[in-house]
Amino acid sequence: MVTQNPLSYIRNIGIIAHIDAGKTTTTERVLFYTGRTHRMGNVDAGTTVTDWMAQERERGITITAAAVTCFWDRDGHRHQINIVDTPGHIDFTAEVQRSLRVLDGGVVVFDAVAGVEPQSETVWRQARAFGVPLVAFVNKMDKLGADFAHAVETIRERLFANPVAIQWPIGSESSFRGAIDLLEMRAVVWQDEMGAKPEFAEIPAELEAIALEARERAVEQIVETDDGLMELYLDGQEVSAAQLRQALRQATLSGKLNPVLCGSALRNKGVQPLLDAVVDYLPSPLDVPSVEGVNPYTQKPEARSADPNEPFSALVFKIATDPYVGRLAYCRVYSGKMKVGSRVSNATKNRKERISKLLRMFADRREEIEELSAGDIGATLGLKETFTGDTLCVPSGPIILESISFPEPVISVAIEPKTADDQDRLAEGLQRLAEEDPTFVIKVDENTGQTLISGMGELHLEILTDRLLREFNVSGRVSRPRVSYRETITQRAKGEGVFDRQTGGREHFGHVWLEVEPLSGDEGFLFEDLTRGRILPGGFIGAVERGCREAMESGVLAGYRLMNIRAQLLDAEMDEETSSELAFKVAGTMAFNQAVEKASPVFLEPVMDLEVVVPDGYTGEVMGDLNARGAEIREMLARADGAQAVRAFVTLAKMFGYATDLRSLTQGRGTFTMEFHHYEEVDQQRMEAILYGASW
């Protein structure tokens, strides 16, 4: 049986970064040095622990967030570190979001040459939105063009953060061999190839002046966050390393500072000090504010603190289908204990569930345990009606914790089985994948009868269709991707809706006048009752709003979802005997649709934020191709490794197949990342092409 670690010695952290910055390699070294593995895996060879899926090993990228638990001794105490290795590719951003929702701290890995890259910005922004304290690790210091000072400066400039370098590299590129601990003012070097035993030494004479200057900057940044230390510092007294560490911990927890370390995970240098920093500066469950939720019966806010003796509460943040044991539900326990054999309540769905098994996860391997306690991350088997974002709690202490919100899919394809035998397996496989991935949406087109699957990008859908074939033995034909357009209006207009007929053996009457107008930004839908409730009772007004919201799901041009519209109820007519909520709901839909038709509706299309990184010699060809796709070039940045980074806005419809085109333009040396940025109005010519099926 696994004993429970004291809460102050637990760290729940995520390793997050831009694609190819070295997250998985860093995680692999952490597992080796903490004794969880006895050999180091390699991403290129497909032998890593956390990239365990066949698709991950073939492509050399992380697709699904993997949870592992390891232990690290620091200052005579054994600390339990629960790590989630997250994807870097924007198509799998939901994996990052749901992991950050339940983690207490994060390690953000940066490339020493590139510094902050687009997906670095995205994950940093997501982490800050969840209030997650962050430590930065500048990786790949052995790479040609590595520049630690530049990487730290990009964190300051592009992320609007306050990074504090607590290490300084000894050498760079091929001569990188260690780092100077600026708080203790000593050198840490790695002589042996495995990097298992870092050696402490005097600071090299040629780096003494640089180290003293860097330490002075770090000390100034740290003491500015602590009034007591600031007084000591201004009085000219020496501030000890222990005092600096304690103040830096508090500043990191509050988000005022972000400690920055350096190393080369692939060359086995810099990982042990990173583990020390995780323990020293990132929060335990006790350092995190009590989790807040709502009592489903009283609708009053309640809180749960990280205490094993409080009523049990946990949030399910991931569902995974395991080919051997079935459906796994990953959860973070916020309070109390969850024991094998106990009955718990799914407060979100008001259902009872039984805990048949509890598991401590080690990527795709697992060890059975008897209980999960406050502060723990683990998985459970046997939950039938529990999905991502659901709250589990003790039946006598019901609470619903804030769920997890996910971005909407931006790309759709039609999928159909190749044979009749595949039909049932396809439906089951799609359902199982949708349970795992909240950004994977399945919908049947009522007009064509086609099954449409939607996701976050071409790679996302390619991986999912590949999993259908391998895991569920389903052969399916996939059509060309479809863009997830939206519709909106460009001017004010009024509409009238009358519903007056007999259904279900009784008369129904409702008559409303509405006005619609466009909303700026990305505000979705707003409904206002300008009658101030003087004409209709509240139930009927609510029915009109429901009718409008239903109409928002399908636009008047081509049935795409509407967005950015305000609807105002101007007037209404009712009959005491025959008016009903049904009548006013239908009348609201009719008036809304009529008003939208008059309000000059237009299409909106997704515009992507694109960054292409190419060697200098290929910039002209790539720029020419982007111009041909109608891209709006925003900036070009020369990088230290002789590459150019081109950033642009470009419509998603013009980017299908770009991965193949870029490979051919750059002889396979160009890379790109792309994420949804905003919706933009489509011009008249493109509107007609979309409406009448022309190819764009």
Side-chain angles (χ1 to χ4, degrees), residues 284-559:
S284 74
L286 294 176
D287 298 312
V288 178
S290 299
V291 68
E292 295 182 353
V294 173
N295 185 309
Y297 300 112
T298 65
Q299 297 303 310
K300 290 183 178 176
E302 292 189 10
R304 296 276 192 275
S305 60
D307 183 346
N309 299 315
E310 284 227 355
F312 162 68
S313 66
L315 184 71
V316 174
F317 68 95
K318 179 179 169 71
I319 298 292
T321 303
D322 188 289
Y324 303 107
V325 297
R327 205 160 152 274
L328 281 167
Y330 287 74
C331 57
R332 160 73 188 264
V333 180
Y334 284 98
S335 62
K337 293 181 180 179
M338 177 163 56
K339 298 184 179 181
V340 171
S342 63
R343 288 204 163 272
V344 298
S345 172
N346 178 335
T348 310
K349 293 195 171 68
N350 195 21
R351 295 278 190 274
K352 297 290 188 290
E353 298 268 25
R354 185 177 177 276
I355 306 299
S356 58
K357 277 187 182 178
L358 289 173
L359 307 168
R360 175 97 65 212
M361 297 306 297
F362 189 56
D364 61 331
R365 286 173 277 156
R366 60 201 70 80
E367 54 184 315
E368 288 194 33
I369 53 178
E370 290 300 311
E371 69 176 32
L372 285 171
S373 187
D376 259 335
I377 289 177
T380 177
L381 279 171
L383 303 185
K384 300 213 169 18
E385 297 185 63
T386 299
F387 297 95
T388 299
D390 287 356
T391 300
L392 299 176
C393 59
V394 64
S396 59
I399 189 172
I400 297 178
L401 305 176
E402 183 186 349
S403 190
I404 310 168
S405 58
F406 296 103
E408 285 195 11
V410 296
I411 185 171
S412 303
V413 297
I415 187 167
E416 58 186 38
K418 283 188 176 175
T419 67
D421 292 341
D422 285 327
Q423 181 71 53
D424 291 340
R425 288 202 302 274
L426 175 66
E428 183 197 350
L430 290 174
Q431 190 57 44
R432 297 265 286 279
L433 291 175
E435 287 176 3
E436 288 186 27
D437 186 347
T439 59
F440 177 54
V441 177
I442 309 160
K443 182 180 169 187
V444 176
D445 190 314
E446 293 177 3
N447 300 319
T448 64
Q450 284 183 308
T451 299
L452 301 177
I453 56 174
S454 305
M456 299 306 296
E458 283 183 281
L459 179 62
H460 186 201
L461 293 181
E462 183 188 324
I463 296 289
L464 290 167
T465 49
D466 189 35
R467 287 185 63 193
L468 278 174
L469 179 63
R470 297 195 195 201
E471 295 175 29
F472 302 99
N473 198 26
V474 178
S475 294
R477 279 190 294 269
V478 176
S479 70
R480 184 177 181 275
R482 281 195 342 158
V483 178
S484 184
Y485 291 102
R486 295 286 185 268
E487 296 181 23
T488 192
I489 57 175
T490 56
Q491 61 187 53
R492 284 173 174 261
K494 293 178 181 176
E496 178 184 4
V498 184
F499 185 77
D500 186 8
R501 73 181 65 162
Q502 187 168 351
T503 58
R506 60 161 289 193
E507 283 283 335
H508 292 273
F509 174 78
H511 189 181
V512 298
W513 288 266
L514 291 175
E515 183 173 50
V516 296
E517 65 177 4
L519 283 174
S520 59
D522 196 9
E523 298 180 64
F525 174 73
L526 290 176
F527 180 84
E528 295 176 356
D529 172 27
L530 298 189
T531 69
R532 304 287 188 269
R534 293 190 300 268
I535 300 170
L536 297 180
F540 289 175
I541 294 169
V544 175
E545 181 176 352
R546 286 196 300 277
C548 293
R549 289 189 180 278
E550 219 168 83
M552 286 285 292
E553 294 299 311
S554 181
V556 298
L557 291 174

Side-chain angles (χ1 to χ4, degrees), residues 19 144 170 182 198 244 264 278 292 301 383 428 470 476 552:
I19 189 169
L144 185 67
I170 301 174
L182 296 177
L244 289 171
S264 170
V278 164
E292 295 182 353
L383 303 185
E428 183 197 350
R470 297 195 195 201
M552 286 285 292

Side-chain angles (χ1 to χ4, degrees), residues 88-101:
H89 199 288
I90 189 63
D91 281 18
F92 310 105
T93 187
E95 290 288 329
V96 183
Q97 260 179 265
R98 62 176 161 194
S99 301
L100 287 170
R101 170 65 180 82

